[in-house]
Amino acid sequence: MTPPAKSASPFDYVVFGGTGDLARRKLLPALYHRCCDGQIAEGSRIIGVSRRKLSSEAYRTMTREALRDFIPVAEYDQDAADRFVKMLSYVAVDVSGDSGWDKLKKMLPSDDGRTRAFYLAVGPGLFGEICGRLGRHGLATPATRVVIEKPLGRDLKSANEVNATVGAVFSEDQVFRIDHYLGKETVQNLMVLRFGNVLYEPLWNSSRIDHVQITVAETLGAESRGSYYDSSGALRDMVQNHMLQLLCLVAMEPPDSYDANAIRDEKLKVLNALRPIGEDDVETLTVRGQYRAGAANGGAVSGYLEDTSLEQSNTETFVAVKAEIANWRWAGVPFYLRTGKRLPARFSEIVIAFKQIPHSIFPKNAGAIHGNRLVIRVQPDEGVKQWIMIKDPGSGSMRLRHVPLDMSFAEEFQVRHPDAYERLLLDVIRGDQTLFMRRDEVEAAWRWIDPIRDAWETSGMAPKPYISGSWGPSAAIALIERDGRAWHGE
Ligand code: NAP
């Protein structure tokens, strides 16, 4: 079953879990923005589905509240909100049973050519039930797409199971696996920087690049996600998806076109070339941490065990990994990844650290020459900074300075930065899978992650404690300093 070509015609978006946190915080505001931008054709329908009994009118009221709660005041327009909520309706279905589906079917026109998207904003345990019933109740037309969210499994075996249950009803080109990082403006810009300019690509290899750093830092703790988080941990929650996707975009070979499968083929090659980390080197190449009480977000905060009301936990809230890509382009270039909760700042950033110049012609007292760095800020303050050496301005003697050429997109273009979901939700309707993960990518990522987890277990490598508000365990600093390098900005 192949979805029809891209079209701006009216469509139907069915959001399972339409009353949940993800729907209220992200999906409904994103669709509202697209509606304001004139991207949702008249006659389109957005249908919320969950178990609770609500009228469509009550769902519209709930949505208005969500828009007011989660959209900045300056972006909220009463008239636009009125237009938007008119597209909404609601149906109560417990997806674990067979009642209610007929009502949903009646709400959808039987026209097979009309694009229909089912967004599964529910726990992954329900994906199989929903897809099976969509099939059995005749709701999966050839023009149907299904959108699934992380977590896509907790290891290779369970990811295979999720993919198989969805794949039993939908063909691969109907399945859209969201990693919202790929919808971020700067992440897409990374591809344009690399492949839309002649400047970087000749330097983009082990002869000019010393190393790469990818940091995803959060200031929040596990808090409300406690029980989910404790069964996951930072490696599964962040590294397997977001961070490996960023690594792929940095490291992939140029695809022959901006085509979904051309790009995903290249990303897959990177994942397959990641050097496995196992029992022999897990202690030298990875660091696990778990936060303790400390100071963060402007006040005193408790530790992970208190936050999750657990007596004991072996779950990491911080992880750092020194990864290597075993291919011609990247041999010998370490990719240092780190992510954690309760760190001193919230940001996601990629740092491309170029090698030092081979020889300095400047006098010693001119100051140190730093390697060039390209810093790609994924969030917040999306933008790119190219750090270069310049002469300190003025008539004094020669003094060198390391300064950033700042390309802050928001300031430069004076545009609102759309949330990643805005882009991705409409890509689903357009049938554009470029920014979605293919099944083999997800599985290849687990194939690299699983041996790390296994090695932690067999070697008994417990998370090291770190104080909230610090940059993780000191071992994470040692991981990079052992190689004569330092984390950017520290
Ligand atoms: P949530 O707030 O708990 O919402 C779950 C939704 O599913 C509710 O609307 C719930 O409504 C509905 N639901 C649960 N069981 C159902 C059933 N048997 N039949 C029909 N509807 C059912 O969870 P969430 O935070 O929105 O997350 C949803 C999924 O997205 C999870 O897998 C999560 O890991 C993933 N995710 C969430 C975020 C986020 O920012 N929240 C980000 C990335 C991924 P009723 O109780 O009324 O049925």
Side-chain angles (χ1 to χ4, degrees):
M1 290 195 280
T2 307
K6 299 171 187 183
S7 144
S9 316
F11 56 80
D12 298 315
Y13 233 114
V14 180
V15 182
F16 286 97
T19 54
D21 177 68
L22 179 63
R24 283 180 294 113
R25 227 157 35 82
K26 292 287 181 188
L27 308 181
L28 292 165
L31 289 166
Y32 159 82
H33 279 301
R34 295 286 85 176
C35 178
C36 293
D37 294 344
Q39 300 253 318
I40 303 189
E42 207 156 311
S44 297
R45 264 174 296 234
I46 297 161
I47 303 172
V49 180
S50 72
R51 286 170 301 189
R52 74 196 70 166
K53 305 270 179 257
L54 282 182
S55 65
S56 288
E57 198 43 51
Y59 189 62
R60 288 181 202 116
T61 304
M62 187 216 80
T63 301
R64 277 181 202 280
E65 281 162 16
L67 297 182
R68 273 194 225 102
D69 288 349
F70 298 113
I71 290 178
V73 178
E75 291 169 20
Y76 183 79
D77 174 339
Q78 187 63 49
D79 292 343
D82 288 344
R83 275 198 312 281
F84 174 65
V85 299
K86 275 195 191 128
M87 297 180 181
L88 300 177
S89 39
Y90 178 84
V91 55
V93 180
D94 181 341
V95 299
S96 312
D98 273 312
S99 59
W101 294 90
D102 286 350
K103 231 191 255 170
L104 176 60
K105 194 171 177 182
K106 271 197 203 122
M107 292 169 96
L108 296 167
S110 54
D111 168 14
D112 269 3
R114 183 172 162 119
T115 302
R116 182 180 287 187
F118 293 108
Y119 198 118
L120 311 194
V122 294
L126 296 175
F127 291 175
E129 305 245 27
I130 296 177
C131 291
R133 289 193 165 85
L134 287 174
R136 288 200 292 284
H137 289 275
L139 284 151
T141 62
T144 293
R145 283 122 202 197
V146 62
V147 189
I148 55 179
E149 267 278 358
K150 80 168 195 181
L152 297 172
R154 44 180 290 107
D155 51 22
L156 178 59
K157 184 169 171 287
S158 53
N160 273 331
E161 283 161 12
V162 170
N163 282 326
T165 49
V166 176
V169 181
F170 297 103
S171 61
E172 181 61 23
D173 57 3
Q174 292 180 293
V175 182
F176 289 71
R177 294 177 191 82
I178 279 212
D179 184 327
H180 70 273
Y181 262 60
L182 294 180
K184 289 181 184 290
E185 201 68 12
T186 324
V187 173
Q188 294 163 59
N189 229 321
L190 174 56
M191 280 192 271
V192 181
L193 266 184
R194 284 194 61 193
F195 306 128
N197 296 290
V198 77
L199 285 179
Y200 289 109
E201 206 45 31
L203 309 177
W204 212 260
N205 55 54
S206 60
S207 62
R208 286 288 180 257
I209 292 179
D210 177 68
H211 72 281
V212 175
Q213 300 181 16
I214 302 178
T215 298
V216 175
E218 296 181 284
T219 50
L220 291 176
E223 280 126 14
S224 61
R225 297 176 74 212
S227 60
Y228 160 73
Y229 195 83
D230 199 62
S231 66
S232 171
L235 188 71
R236 287 187 179 115
D237 192 46
M238 283 289 175
V239 181
Q240 188 273 343
N241 38 68
H242 308 319
M243 298 186 83
L244 286 186
Q245 285 293 318
L246 297 180
L247 177 143
C248 284
L249 293 174
V250 171
M252 70 183 183
E253 293 301 314
D256 61 3
S257 65
Y258 192 73
D259 164 82
N261 278 327
I263 291 173
R264 298 186 302 174
D265 286 347
E266 296 306 334
K267 288 199 290 168
L268 180 64
K269 286 182 204 160
V270 174
L271 291 167
N272 286 336
L274 280 168
R275 205 168 73 69
I277 296 176
E279 222 178 308
D280 291 344
D281 44 15
V282 77
E283 300 216 22
T284 47
L285 298 180
T286 72
V287 175
R288 297 178 85 192
Q290 191 185 79
Y291 68 81
R292 297 288 182 261
N297 305 314
V301 288
S302 44
Y304 179 74
L305 294 179
E306 298 88 76
D307 283 354
T308 51
S309 309
L310 292 166
E311 271 177 25
Q312 197 278 331
S313 166
N314 206 25
T315 298
E316 76 286 351
T317 60
F318 176 99
V319 64
V321 182
K322 178 180 172 184
E324 280 179 62
I325 300 169
N327 65 18
W328 270 53
R329 186 188 282 260
W330 295 114
V333 179
F335 282 67
Y336 299 99
L337 317 179
R338 72 173 165 169
T339 181
K341 291 193 172 293
R342 285 278 169 73
L343 300 185
R346 175 184 168 265
F347 66 88
S348 302
E349 193 170 78
I350 301 167
V351 178
I352 313 294
F354 291 91
K355 289 193 167 164
Q356 292 284 354
I357 54 163
H359 165 73
S360 172
I361 63 165
F362 301 103
K364 280 207 169 59
N365 61 4
I369 298 187
H370 301 273
N372 298 126
R373 287 190 165 192
L374 179 69
V375 180
I376 299 153
R377 179 59 78 112
V378 176
Q379 67 176 21
D381 313 325
E382 304 185 23
V384 176
K385 283 184 184 170
Q386 174 65 71
W387 287 78
I388 56 164
M389 296 303 303
I390 60 155
K391 176 190 171 294
D392 204 8
S395 56
S397 58
M398 173 64 82
R399 292 253 175 247
L400 303 176
R401 263 175 71 180
H402 196 217
V403 294
L405 293 177
D406 191 346
M407 296 172 260
S408 173
F409 302 141
E411 281 170 30
E412 179 70 18
F413 298 106
Q414 301 287 312
V415 291
R416 183 181 71 82
H417 265 219
D419 185 78
Y421 282 94
E422 291 182 39
R423 163 82 202 240
L424 297 173
L425 284 171
L426 266 281
D427 278 358
V428 172
I429 297 301
R430 286 188 282 264
D432 182 350
Q433 290 190 313
T434 311
L435 301 175
F436 295 83
M437 295 179 294
R438 208 167 55 190
R439 176 177 181 161
D440 48 9
E441 278 182 79
V442 175
E443 291 173 359
W446 282 120
R447 220 170 276 120
W448 187 70
I449 292 288
D450 282 356
I452 299 178
R453 289 211 63 85
D454 292 347
W456 283 347
E457 234 156 75
T458 43
S459 65
M461 195 176 135
K464 293 181 177 11
Y466 64 96
I467 294 172
S468 285
S470 72
W471 280 111
S474 55
I477 296 165
L479 176 81
I480 190 164
E481 288 192 347
R482 261 201 310 272
D483 297 339
R485 303 178 175 111
W487 292 107
H488 182 74
E490 282 175 43

